[in-house]
Amino acid sequence: MANGIIIIDKPAGWTSMDVCAKLRGILKTKKIGHAGTLDPMATGVLPVFVGQATRAVSFAESGEKEYVAGLRLGLTTNTQDTEGETLAQTAVCCDRAAVEAVLPRFVGEISQIPPMFSAIKINGQKLYDLARQGKEVERKPRPVTIFGLEVVEQVSETDFILRIRCSKGTYVRTLCHDIGQALGCGGCMYSLRRTMAAGFTLEESVKLEQVQQEGEALLRPTDSLFRQYPVYRLRTQKQEERCRNGNPFYIKEELAEGIYRIYGADGAFLCLSRLQEGTMTSLKNFFGA
């Protein structure tokens, strides 16, 4: 069975689940999941987990993400992007300096009201299903964090390219909408490309056509997701037995407390563990991944 991580450069027009379905056929396995949904109009980094590596999806979803987004001022739509119905069009008299002046308001921890056209469920119903029925329901603001926000380029009188580094759960189209509201002319998102997710970048991504040609050869090992953590190699048979049984084990070395990648005597990646007061406790086991 195929095991590992593959970083897909998602094409426009595909859902994240479409990509997974395609990969199930190419790699001939049902056990596939992705980390961090991208809307069909969006392109870019989509980490996909195969086989035993699916155990790591929850770790990948929670990390920082980076996007390059197109902001169009003077246009407000019901989906907060250019694929929706126009609600209002307004003359734009904002230059790059004016846009840059409002961006600091959106850096740090902010609140976003999720758009109606989203997969969030309220009382068991997805918001986009309600929106398609012409209904709108009250949504509670959600906290997200914007770590970085800048204008990369002004493309035209109305169009700007933004670079955004943000936390899980951030709606970039809502950010574009809210920036437009702050400028008094309205705004929406006209393009979106994810350039980083789970620590993986566009430079590390591959096209679906490449996977079709090369298959499993493009899979990265599961531990590549945790490359920011130091390595600990098991020293004794007792340590390895306890580790493989999912039990905490003790170490004699003086090491900094924190998270470690644990490897067996044969070099196999076994688990992600936390060291505290001389004891390694597994956070997640990846035997066979």
Side-chain angles (χ1 to χ4, degrees), residues 4-10 16 19-20 23 32-38 44-50 56-57 60-61 64-65 194 196-201 205 220 225:
I5 304 170
I6 190 162
I7 314 305
I8 298 295
D9 183 352
K10 189 189 85 66
S16 300
V19 172
C20 288
L23 291 174
I32 288 182
H34 67 81
T37 301
L38 284 174
V45 176
L46 180 68
V48 178
F49 296 75
V50 181
V57 167
E61 289 177 328
E64 285 185 27
K65 296 173 175 63
R194 187 155 67 191
M196 188 274 288
F200 296 108
T201 64
S205 66
R220 296 168 172 271
L225 177 66

Side-chain angles (χ1 to χ4, degrees), residues 3-283:
N3 292 301
I5 304 170
I6 190 162
I7 314 305
I8 298 295
D9 183 352
K10 189 189 85 66
W14 290 57
T15 68
S16 300
M17 292 307 295
D18 288 339
V19 172
C20 288
K22 181 69 172 178
L23 291 174
R24 285 188 186 100
I26 295 172
L27 299 174
K28 295 179 173 56
T29 179
K30 294 181 180 179
K31 203 170 183 181
I32 288 182
H34 67 81
T37 301
L38 284 174
D39 288 340
M41 78 175 291
T43 66
V45 176
L46 180 68
V48 178
F49 296 75
V50 181
Q52 299 280 18
T54 54
R55 300 175 190 172
V57 167
S58 60
F59 292 91
E61 289 177 328
S62 59
E64 285 185 27
K65 296 173 175 63
E66 183 182 84
Y67 298 89
V68 172
L71 164 66
R72 178 161 296 161
L73 296 178
L75 177 64
T76 305
T77 73
N78 64 340
T79 59
Q80 301 180 342
D81 60 36
T82 51
E83 295 192 336
E85 297 176 9
T86 298
L87 298 178
Q89 284 187 284
T90 309
V92 177
C93 55
C94 303
D95 59 9
R96 178 169 179 161
V99 175
E100 290 177 333
V102 303
L103 295 188
R105 302 187 204 175
F106 299 95
V107 176
E109 187 170 306
I110 65 170
S111 291
Q112 286 191 326
I113 297 176
M116 276 302 299
F117 283 87
S118 64
I120 292 172
K121 287 185 178 181
I122 292 184
N123 296 326
Q125 288 187 289
K126 290 182 179 179
L127 287 180
Y128 61 67
D129 288 334
L130 294 172
R132 287 166 184 159
Q133 298 169 28
K135 299 177 181 178
E136 182 160 352
V137 296
E138 184 178 356
R139 288 96 68 203
K140 293 181 179 178
R142 295 186 168 201
V144 297
T145 303
I146 309 297
F147 301 104
L149 178 59
E150 63 175 329
V151 176
V152 175
E153 180 186 0
Q154 180 171 359
V155 181
S156 68
E157 288 185 2
T158 60
D159 293 357
F160 297 80
I161 302 296
L162 306 178
R163 179 178 288 111
I164 305 116
R165 279 193 307 110
C166 57
S167 66
K168 172 187 176 181
T170 301
Y171 283 96
V172 177
R173 52 198 164 102
T174 298
L175 181 63
C176 290
H177 170 87
D178 292 347
I179 290 170
Q181 293 298 111
L183 288 166
C185 58
C188 66
M189 184 182 78
Y190 71 84
S191 67
L192 184 65
R193 185 154 176 77
R194 187 155 67 191
T195 53
M196 188 274 288
F200 296 108
T201 64
L202 272 176
E203 289 70 28
E204 298 170 280
S205 66
V206 296
K207 306 282 188 181
L208 283 170
E209 293 80 6
Q210 291 173 260
V211 188
Q212 187 80 58
Q213 293 172 359
E214 301 180 48
E216 290 184 30
L218 295 174
L219 287 171
R220 296 168 172 271
T222 305
D223 57 348
S224 63
L225 177 66
F226 306 115
R227 53 194 170 179
Q228 70 271 36
Y229 299 119
V231 170
Y232 181 81
R233 298 192 183 279
L234 298 174
R235 307 293 199 266
T236 68
Q237 185 176 350
K238 185 175 181 180
Q239 280 183 332
E240 184 138 354
E241 286 175 357
R242 290 190 63 81
C243 180
R244 288 184 178 275
N245 287 325
N247 296 320
F249 61 90
Y250 305 101
I251 66 166
K252 295 181 180 179
E253 303 93 320
E254 288 191 13
L255 298 175
E257 294 191 341
I259 297 175
Y260 285 80
R261 287 178 283 153
I262 308 300
Y263 293 82
D266 60 357
F269 174 53
L270 299 181
C271 60
L272 193 69
S273 295
R274 184 185 300 279
L275 175 62
Q276 190 170 13
E277 296 180 353
T279 301
M280 282 282 191
T281 304
S282 173
L283 299 175

